[in-house]
Amino acid sequence: MPETKAVANIGVVGLAVMGSNLARNLASREGNTVAVYNRTYARTSTLIEEHPEAGFVASETIQDFVASLEKPRAALIMVQAGAGTDAVIDELAALFEPGDIIIDGGNSLFTDTIRREKALRDKGLNFVGTGISGGEEGALNGPSIMPGGSVEAYEKLGPIFASIAAIAEGEPCVTHVGTDGAGHFVKMIHNGIEYADMQLIAEAYDLIRHGTGATPAEIADIFTEWNKGELESYLIEITAEVLRQVDASTGKPLVDVILDQAGSKGTGVWTVQNSLDLGIPVSGIAEAVFARALSSKPAQRAAASDLPGPSTPWTVSHKPQFIEDVRRALYASKMIAYSQGFDAIVAGAEKYNWDIKKGNIAKIWRGGCIIRAQFLNRITDAYEENPGLVALLTAPYFKAAIEGAQDSWRTVVAHAAQSGIPTPAFSSSLAYYDGIRAARLPAALIQGQRDFFGAHTYQRVDKPGTFHTLWSADRTEIETEGSSH
Ligand code: 6PG
């Protein structure tokens, strides 16, 4: 058997749609020769037959695949996150040599990435967990890429990633996010924001449909119009296309024949779980995750479907004004989702010791990814002006934008409550906004309650120290040692 020559500067393992599209994208760029491998060879042979122009170096065995890579070797794994990823990593790690690089481009949980990076570093191998966003089309034509891992690995990978990434305003949508699991952490938050954005758009559609009686096609036109202004984004654009789609078999709007039970693969749940652990209120994202969960409980929904709604629902008197109010409410709620998402990034960076540049994250989300939007430029500007910004919402642009939107936002949330239209993301975002700006919160009462039933102690506004009231005795206050507040 002839010896396999090391000719490829990058390899791809796992040739389902995302893997094969990324391999084709890599192969289409000057200077890249791409090795490909899939557990089942049939998939590899289909890919090389369908795309002879790519000049792929195909292997039937993992040994030949590894031998076809130039040193230091770099292999991008595109298999289902979880046990499958560990299996491929183990196979490659057994054949790779110190200095070689294993890249995981799937939606892996960042704590798995931290674990894998450490285990491989101990063997002298580089492991780079990389968020890749943009779906099938982005993988082929230019995704947004969020690599973690070591600085040394990024030196080799940076130019390769830059060659395949989307370009936004002249810059490739890739940056070294931070070490070990930072890339997958940021991709997880990206997906959480994606959930919130999608839910908010869905609520806007529902409000307009119920409030004005507009058809899906008419709402598609409204979204197309919105896409010309500050809401301009990929998700608004594709929403218009989805709403315009007519079902071939019934002639009805497709959205009316799709079962209203939203699926999920886990990254939204991870965002909420990890944000809870970090103590960050990502309420907009959480409501989006819960809304999908609620939608997917048909038996409960059927049993609850005859529960009473409002006796006198509000009607919309001026439809164009209502639609404009919904647009502004959507923009304001979207700002909350991003502000919360960036809070989670800041907290994650602190906990896991990552030096994440928030402005650069907003920059690489401007193109290629699912949440790409005009508005991300405003986030980059805000962090460039003030890298230590305590909350995105407090930056001058966002403050002014919310000022312009808040009356509409309140009207829309009130309308939804009075009409019985569920708007968990709009409503919770407004509640968060009013909470964070409140001079004084009823948390003081909660501290009193906790001290009453559990002697959890409290602090006072007028003097330092930790206090407990002897509630069951004479209700005098004593200063206590330490604190459990
Ligand atoms: C992307 C997407 C992509 C995928 C997610 C969301 O950035 O390209 O986020 O990763 O669509 O898996 O999936 P679910 O909605 O099924 O959780």
Side-chain angles (χ1 to χ4, degrees):
M1 215 169 152
E3 202 183 309
T4 309
K5 282 215 182 75
V7 286
N9 62 323
I10 180 96
V12 178
V13 180
L15 302 175
V17 180
M18 286 296 285
S20 50
N21 281 4
L22 280 166
R24 286 171 58 200
N25 185 351
L26 282 161
S28 71
R29 311 294 165 160
E30 189 73 36
N32 288 337
T33 302
V34 183
V36 287
Y37 171 75
N38 194 73
R39 191 172 298 277
T40 327
Y41 186 69
R43 191 164 249 169
T44 313
S45 53
T46 309
L47 179 68
I48 56 177
E49 271 160 36
E50 286 177 357
H51 296 285
E53 79 289 350
F56 288 128
V57 182
S59 298
E60 286 193 49
T61 67
I62 193 108
Q63 287 78 6
D64 281 352
F65 169 77
V66 170
S68 71
L69 295 169
E70 287 169 355
K71 294 180 192 174
R73 303 177 181 93
L76 169 63
I77 303 175
M78 292 303 301
V79 302
Q80 202 156 24
T85 305
D86 276 317
V88 178
I89 291 171
D90 288 347
E91 278 183 280
L92 286 175
L95 300 165
F96 270 23
E97 292 167 318
D100 289 348
I101 308 170
I102 298 176
I103 309 149
D104 171 17
N107 269 334
S108 291
L109 182 58
F110 74 96
T111 45
D112 285 342
T113 305
I114 292 175
R115 165 179 62 78
R116 290 167 180 153
E117 198 273 343
K118 181 171 181 331
L120 292 177
R121 185 161 21 99
D122 290 347
K123 293 184 180 159
L125 299 176
N126 288 295
F127 181 70
V128 179
T130 300
I132 300 179
S133 177
E136 297 171 14
E137 197 269 329
L140 184 60
N141 298 315
S144 172
I145 308 179
M146 295 152 248
S150 69
V151 174
E152 304 80 72
Y154 192 71
E155 271 164 25
K156 163 153 176 145
L157 298 179
I160 299 178
F161 285 153
S163 75
I164 61 163
I167 303 288
E169 298 180 26
E171 293 176 84
C173 294
V174 58
T175 189
H176 183 225
V177 173
T179 52
D180 58 54
H184 276 141
F185 181 87
V186 163
K187 175 59 168 47
M188 176 188 78
I189 302 293
H190 164 284
N191 281 27
I193 295 173
E194 173 185 303
Y195 272 57
D197 221 342
M198 292 167 74
Q199 174 66 23
L200 289 167
I201 293 171
E203 289 178 16
Y205 148 78
D206 210 30
L207 280 161
I208 295 175
R209 191 152 185 196
H210 288 295
T212 70
T215 63
E218 286 163 347
I219 303 173
D221 291 342
I222 293 168
F223 280 122
T224 300
E225 209 42 48
W226 288 1
N227 204 34
K228 294 175 187 158
E230 58 198 3
L231 278 172
E232 189 208 322
S233 62
Y234 172 72
L235 283 171
I236 293 280
E237 182 192 325
I238 64 158
T239 302
E241 285 197 35
V242 172
L243 289 174
R244 217 167 266 134
Q245 188 71 28
V246 173
D247 175 46
S249 59
T250 60
K252 292 181 181 168
L254 182 66
V255 72
D256 287 347
V257 298
I258 297 178
L259 198 64
D260 59 346
Q261 296 173 21
S264 61
K265 293 199 200 77
T267 46
V269 172
W270 293 345
T271 305
V272 178
Q273 283 172 336
N274 283 284
S275 299
L276 286 174
D277 287 343
L278 292 165
I280 303 299
V282 290
S283 47
I285 299 171
E287 288 298 348
V289 174
F290 296 151
R292 289 196 193 186
L294 183 152
S295 78
S296 303
K297 302 272 178 293
Q300 255 189 347
R301 288 175 59 193
S305 63
D306 59 357
L307 293 177
S311 42
T312 45
W314 281 9
T315 49
V316 171
S317 48
H318 190 275
K319 291 179 184 175
Q321 181 58 49
F322 179 71
I323 292 166
E324 176 57 11
D325 284 341
V326 173
R327 189 192 69 77
R328 290 184 191 171
L330 174 55
Y331 195 46
S333 305
K334 182 178 162 115
M335 286 186 246
I336 300 294
Y338 279 75
S339 193
Q340 294 180 340
F342 274 88
D343 282 352
I345 290 178
V346 170
E350 202 173 298
K351 175 165 178 186
Y352 297 100
N353 278 318
W354 298 317
D355 178 22
I356 298 181
K357 306 271 184 300
K358 278 98 65 188
N360 288 351
I361 302 304
K363 264 190 180 175
I364 65 163
W365 287 350
R366 288 177 308 176
C369 67
I370 304 297
I371 63 171
R372 61 185 180 261
Q374 178 58 32
F375 150 89
L376 284 153
N377 277 318
R378 307 286 80 78
I379 300 181
T380 303
D381 294 347
Y383 282 119
E384 272 173 8
E385 269 162 40
N386 179 4
L389 200 61
V390 288
L392 202 50
L393 290 178
T394 60
Y397 170 84
F398 294 97
K399 200 173 163 200
I402 291 207
E403 201 168 359
Q406 67 149 330
D407 286 343
S408 293
W409 196 10
R410 295 181 193 286
T411 303
V412 167
V413 170
H415 173 92
Q418 291 287 355
S419 317
I421 299 169
T423 53
F426 272 24
S427 310
S428 77
S429 304
L430 181 57
Y432 170 87
Y433 175 70
D434 283 332
I436 201 144
R437 69 179 193 85
R440 202 159 153 75
L441 288 166
L445 177 59
I446 290 170
Q447 286 295 76
Q449 293 164 331
R450 293 176 67 237
D451 191 60
F452 189 103
F453 64 66
H456 291 295
T457 75
Y458 53 88
Q459 288 173 314
R460 297 181 53 97
V461 295
D462 52 0
K463 54 183 176 187
T466 300
F467 301 91
H468 168 54
T469 289
L470 301 171
W471 300 95
S472 54
D474 55 4
R475 302 194 175 227
T476 52
E477 186 180 65
I478 54 165
E479 190 159 1
T480 64
E481 285 286 310
S483 155
S484 61
H485 71 96

